[in-house]
Amino acid sequence: MITLENADKALKDYYLDAVTAQLNNGISPFFAAIEKNVNGVYGKDVKLSIVKESGGNVVAGAEDGDLPDPYKNRYYDITLPLKNLYGTIEISDKALRASRDNSGAFVNLVNAEMEGLISSAKFNFQRMLFGDGSGKLCTITDDITTTEFKVDKVKGYFAGMTVDIVPVAAGALNDSYGVTVKSVDLSKSTITLEKPVLDSLMGGAVFPHDSKNNELTGLSALFDGTSLYGYNKADNAYFAPYKVDANKQFGEDLLTDVLDYCEENFNSKINMILCSFKTRKKIAALIAESRRVVNSVDAHTGFGIVTVNDVPVYADKFCPDDRIYFINTDDFILNQLCDWEWLEDESGKILKQIPGKAAYGATLVKYAELVCKKPCGQAMLYNFA
């Protein structure tokens, strides 16, 4: 007989390992390649000390000369709060009772919930890797009606998302919080909400519900803005990645120049190029002329690739069309307090009744933050034709 007790046990003993494996290995090539550990976590924060320079550790001297003075490393200290990442499932009491004497029906019920959780977690984790930590999806540029709005950038995946729209004026509108995007029109760059809002939202920013400024510090944070990890980029060149304005030019030489520059000037061996699907097609067309396109599957990440100077080029749906990222994945760490785990109450229960509803909910949690140990060793090409 299926009970809450053995349902809890199934979530702990069977589903957790399966979910964790899928979330750690199937999100994206970038995520699969970066290090994950708990070494930099202290309490609720990530604390890292990064060596500024290491060129003075070894010197040459005369045979009978004095030994050199000890070289003292200099450090940048980084302290960041861990981000709180949650995933939830819900099982109605009616469905649970209906499958009480049918273990197969219960397994199907839980499998369906877990598949939805895994799909959502993969999607949002992958999206965060390219964000700046704010969670901003787009900006509203025009009010067409009380439910339809024009935005500066639109993606098909906005449809079905529950979002918060934060107006420009002080005093947020309650009716624009927790609203669902009913549909998206890619040709008109508009989104339509499931319910009307009362006032103008023009200039407002759209965020996933309850996620504003709570997401992982992704690649956009490295390349945009004037500061990173609390350091001003203008005053601390170590935190300023290499950015190249292509001036509407695009060629294989330009791509290889970026690779060479990073290695020559920052001792950074770029091992991954990230771009949109549209841009990867451009790169593949470029190097196809010299018959050096490799359409294969990378054994490490399990994703199909093409290469530039033996550096794999990966397409990601969350990478903007107007950017190409040149990444040394060895410089990135996902610092985590724990891997994905179920949130338990004091008695160790995972499934708990949702207040006011005839349903039970369970929450998967992960406390983590993404940190780049060497921002100056990364590069971005933009404004290419």
Side-chain angles (χ1 to χ4, degrees):
M1 177 180 289
I2 302 299
T3 64
L4 279 178
E5 183 178 349
N6 52 33
D8 255 35
K9 185 174 178 62
L11 290 177
K12 287 180 184 178
D13 298 342
Y14 176 74
Y15 285 99
L16 181 59
D17 288 343
V19 169
T20 299
Q22 291 190 58
L23 292 181
N24 285 340
N25 299 322
I27 290 178
S28 72
F30 177 45
F31 184 75
I34 62 178
E35 179 184 352
K36 296 96 176 170
N37 65 47
V38 300
N39 297 338
V41 176
Y42 297 87
K44 297 188 293 183
D45 295 326
V46 175
K47 296 184 178 181
L48 297 176
S49 293
I50 300 174
V51 178
K52 292 184 180 181
E53 302 96 5
S54 58
N57 298 66
V58 177
V59 297
E63 179 181 358
D64 57 352
D66 295 334
L67 292 174
D69 294 330
Y71 182 84
K72 183 178 181 181
N73 285 330
R74 294 181 294 170
Y75 297 90
Y76 287 110
D77 293 320
I78 295 176
T79 300
L80 299 170
L82 290 168
K83 302 299 173 60
N84 312 310
L85 309 174
Y86 305 108
T88 59
I89 63 171
E90 181 178 318
I91 301 175
S92 71
D93 181 66
K94 183 178 181 180
L96 190 61
R97 290 176 185 272
S99 60
R100 177 171 290 175
D101 297 317
N102 187 334
S103 59
F106 173 76
V107 169
N108 291 337
L109 174 67
V110 177
N111 281 349
E113 286 292 324
M114 297 308 297
E115 286 173 6
L117 172 61
I118 291 169
S119 176
S120 177
K122 283 183 177 180
F123 173 88
N124 284 290
F125 215 106
Q126 185 178 0
R127 178 182 56 79
M128 289 184 210
L129 295 175
F130 287 86
D132 61 1
S134 71
K136 182 179 176 180
L137 299 172
C138 59
T139 299
I140 292 179
T141 58
D142 193 17
D143 298 319
I144 299 175
T145 68
T146 57
T147 58
E148 186 179 8
F149 302 89
K150 192 173 182 65
V151 295
D152 63 340
K153 56 182 177 180
V154 65
K155 297 288 187 180
Y157 61 77
F158 290 175
M161 290 187 72
T162 301
V163 298
D164 297 333
I165 305 176
V166 181
V168 174
L173 306 176
N174 291 331
D175 59 338
S176 66
Y177 274 53
V179 296
T180 301
V181 178
K182 180 180 180 180
S183 62
V184 169
D185 190 321
L186 297 175
S187 63
K188 296 194 299 182
S189 293
T190 62
I191 60 173
T192 300
L193 306 180
E194 284 194 344
K195 68 176 185 178
V197 293
L198 302 180
D199 296 312
S200 172
L201 292 176
M202 190 165 64
V206 182
F207 301 86
H209 184 48
D210 285 342
S211 293
K212 183 183 179 184
N213 297 328
N214 290 323
E215 296 193 344
L216 295 174
T217 304
L219 292 178
S220 288
L222 265 68
F223 294 96
D224 300 331
T226 58
S227 64
L228 180 66
Y229 308 146
Y231 290 91
N232 185 283
K233 293 179 181 178
D235 299 329
N236 299 277
Y238 189 89
F239 292 92
Y242 180 50
K243 298 168 66 173
V244 183
D245 185 341
N247 292 315
K248 302 299 182 182
Q249 302 298 312
F250 192 67
E252 187 179 357
D253 287 345
L254 189 57
L255 299 175
T256 57
D257 284 348
V258 176
L259 296 174
D260 294 343
Y261 189 91
C262 288
E263 186 165 2
E264 284 186 73
N265 294 278
F266 302 110
N267 195 30
S268 181
K269 186 73 172 178
I270 299 299
N271 58 14
M272 182 176 289
I273 297 174
L274 299 171
C275 61
S276 68
F277 286 92
K278 178 181 177 181
T279 303
R280 186 177 65 170
K281 289 179 181 178
K282 288 185 177 182
I283 295 174
L286 268 180
I287 58 182
E289 298 176 1
S290 55
R291 295 184 297 279
R292 287 187 288 109
V293 178
V294 179
N295 289 301
S296 61
V297 175
D298 179 45
H300 179 63
T301 63
F303 293 85
I305 58 171
V306 297
T307 62
V308 175
N309 274 22
D310 296 326
V311 178
V313 180
Y314 295 102
D316 194 293
K317 62 186 175 185
F318 294 104
C319 189
D321 286 333
D322 58 351
R323 293 186 173 193
I324 301 175
Y325 293 119
F326 298 78
I327 302 298
N328 183 347
T329 58
D330 295 336
D331 293 330
F332 288 83
I333 302 176
L334 184 72
N335 299 269
Q336 52 191 29
L337 180 61
C338 59
D339 210 338
W340 293 100
E341 293 185 0
W342 290 112
L343 190 64
E344 302 179 9
D345 63 15
E346 293 181 355
S347 60
K349 291 182 179 180
I350 295 172
L351 280 168
K352 297 175 282 291
Q353 183 180 358
I354 300 172
K357 294 183 68 176
Y360 300 90
T363 302
L364 203 61
V365 299
K366 185 185 187 81
Y367 306 107
E369 177 59 299
L370 180 66
V371 179
C372 178
K373 298 182 294 183
K374 191 175 181 180
C376 63
Q378 322 308 315
M380 179 181 76
L381 182 67
Y382 66 100
N383 191 28
F384 47 86

